[in-house]
Amino acid sequence: MALAWSVVLFSCQDKQHEPLVKSDRVPAKITNPIVENDNGGAKITYTLPDDQDILYVLATFNSNMGGERVVKSSVYKNYVVLDGFADTKEHTVNLYTVSRSEVRSEPVAVKIQPLIAPIKTIFNTLEVAPDFGGINARFVNEKQNEFVFHTMYKNAEGVWIDYDRLYTNSKTRDYSVRGLPSEPIEFAFFFTDKWKNSSDTLKKTLTPIFEIKLDNTLWKHLPLDNDFYKRYGTFGPVTSAFDGNLNSFFYQDLPSATMPNWWTIDLGQKVKFSRMDVYQAPTSRPTYSYNYGTPRSYEIWGSNNPSQDGRWDDWTLLVKCESVKPSGSPVGVTTPEDNAYAMAGENYNFPSSAGSYRYIRFKTLRSWTGAQNLMLTELVLYGQPQ
């Protein structure tokens, strides 16, 4: 029996995949090709011959990396879409019909001239500026194509270092690269796409703004009389929001929760804030991001002399925050980029005009699902202790 199975398996492995129909007949060509040039490519519409033996249409053209690129289009469509061109030059595309025996027709040569490529369009929107601990980049990707945004810098030996890469297909991004010293640094920024096209390079000398990560071991929960917080049993105390553990989270008791709500922290020192990272969900539960009671609209307030009754007259609004899902997809739907963005911590800069404060209040106006109870994994603050 084992021998029989061995023979069957050996026979299956030796079997060559060949067309079910074998014929040397050359199929008829497509006719009436019409070109509609587009950004970085073109759409070619055509008339298929009345031939039941045709399986698909094949387009071939020279790629930007050299060699030939091939694009196939089903016989159930009367067009082929070509993309990945980085220039606006004229290109020749050869179109073939292909039979079920994989025999090509005579080629039909068609000229296309792509419009300005998306990789050039996105580069033209790029703006960079110094940020706290690094640089900030902003750009617009109107058609939501897939790109990699590269950040490089020149080290003391004059060698370019590939420091950061961001994979994105978001319509807009406001992106910061951190972990750099507060000194003049020569940077280089550019985009690449999945066809290995590269944009121009923007070179700029920028000086990151000085900051340090605040010591959260000095922080304490400061319960004020009008704070909206009730612990859910032994689960999710306020201190979970600043314990440095990305797998614990602060969770309000649902029956008593309302929106808006707020809670207060004593930072243990007076600080001029630079920025804040807010982690919505535990690392172990990424699906909590943009979901349940995670904060969507919220504010940070500061005070140096808060009264125990918690009246708002003692507080100053420092920054308004809006949680953003890069894909813009509805609640319950996330992309890998959405998840990576949330897991990295959403970042918010404080205005440079803001004063220095020892106490802060986190005021939630709206959650992602409209739930009344707040869920939050970690709050991280940066700035200059006074």
Side-chain angles (χ1 to χ4, degrees), residues 213-230:
K213 181 180 177 181
L214 300 186
D215 183 0
N216 62 0
T217 63
L218 302 176
W219 301 8
K220 296 178 181 178
H221 177 208
L222 181 66
L224 300 181
D225 295 346
N226 67 348
D227 280 358
F228 282 73
Y229 169 67
K230 184 177 179 182

Side-chain angles (χ1 to χ4, degrees), residues 348-359:
Y348 303 93
N349 286 353
F350 289 84
S352 58
S353 58
S356 302
Y357 299 95
R358 172 170 174 165
Y359 305 92

Side-chain angles (χ1 to χ4, degrees), residues 113-173:
Q113 191 165 7
L115 306 180
I116 183 170
I119 198 168
K120 294 185 181 295
T121 302
I122 191 174
F123 179 79
N124 291 338
T125 70
L126 176 62
E127 297 178 355
V128 295
D131 204 352
F132 295 103
I135 60 91
N136 176 259
R138 300 184 183 192
F139 49 83
V140 179
N141 179 15
E142 192 65 38
K143 294 193 175 182
Q144 296 186 268
N145 294 290
E146 296 179 4
F147 292 107
V148 180
F149 175 59
H150 300 256
T151 300
M152 304 181 72
Y153 74 88
K154 188 179 287 187
N155 67 12
E157 289 72 40
V159 177
W160 284 104
I161 305 299
D162 193 355
Y163 187 68
D164 187 82
R165 296 183 184 186
L166 170 69
Y167 295 81
T168 180
N169 62 355
S170 297
K171 196 168 186 177
T172 61
R173 280 304 297 260

Side-chain angles (χ1 to χ4, degrees), residues 195-342:
W195 298 282
K196 299 185 179 180
N197 296 316
S198 182
S199 71
D200 292 336
T201 300
L202 173 62
K203 292 184 178 180
K204 205 164 187 177
T205 299
L206 301 169
T207 303
I209 305 168
F210 171 75
E211 67 171 5
I212 65 169
K213 181 180 177 181
L214 300 186
D215 183 0
N216 62 0
T217 63
L218 302 176
W219 301 8
K220 296 178 181 178
H221 177 208
L222 181 66
L224 300 181
D225 295 346
N226 67 348
D227 280 358
F228 282 73
Y229 169 67
K230 184 177 179 182
R231 184 171 175 174
Y232 183 69
T234 59
F235 187 67
V238 170
T239 53
S240 292
F242 51 87
D243 61 1
N245 183 357
L246 294 181
N247 274 316
S248 68
F249 58 97
F250 163 37
Y251 185 86
Q252 285 182 312
D253 186 21
L254 184 58
S256 64
T258 59
M259 287 282 178
N261 60 55
W262 52 86
W263 40 283
T264 309
I265 300 175
D266 175 1
L267 301 177
Q269 60 183 337
K270 197 172 181 179
V271 177
K272 182 170 177 59
F273 306 106
S274 58
R275 62 185 174 98
M276 171 180 69
D277 290 336
V278 177
Y279 294 83
Q280 297 182 34
T283 303
S284 59
R285 303 182 185 185
T287 56
Y288 282 17
S289 299
Y290 316 106
N291 214 337
Y292 307 111
T294 54
R296 186 167 186 173
S297 298
Y298 46 103
E299 300 170 343
I300 303 298
W301 293 69
S303 176
N304 284 314
N305 295 291
S307 56
Q308 182 58 45
D309 62 16
R311 61 177 177 267
W312 285 98
D313 292 347
D314 298 330
W315 294 86
T316 300
L317 178 61
L318 303 181
V319 63
K320 293 185 176 183
C321 306
E322 186 73 23
S323 176
V324 175
K325 186 188 294 187
S327 70
S329 56
V331 174
V333 179
T334 58
T335 66
E337 185 177 357
D338 293 335
N339 294 330
Y341 181 75

Side-chain angles (χ1 to χ4, degrees), residues 48-110:
L48 285 161
D50 186 13
D51 187 340
Q52 298 299 315
D53 191 39
I54 294 174
L55 186 61
Y56 58 91
V57 171
L58 186 72
T60 66
F61 52 94
N62 292 328
S63 75
N64 65 302
M65 298 297 292
E68 185 181 71
R69 266 192 67 195
V70 174
V71 176
K72 295 180 180 181
S73 181
S74 165
V75 72
Y76 299 106
K77 296 191 295 187
N78 69 334
Y79 64 88
V80 62
V81 175
L82 311 175
D83 51 18
F85 293 88
D87 57 50
T88 56
K89 298 176 182 178
E90 188 174 76
H91 296 264
T92 299
V93 179
N94 288 313
L95 296 175
Y96 306 83
T97 59
V98 182
S99 72
R100 298 180 186 279
S101 299
E102 293 293 328
V103 177
R104 294 186 185 184
S105 69
E106 292 297 317
V108 174
V110 179

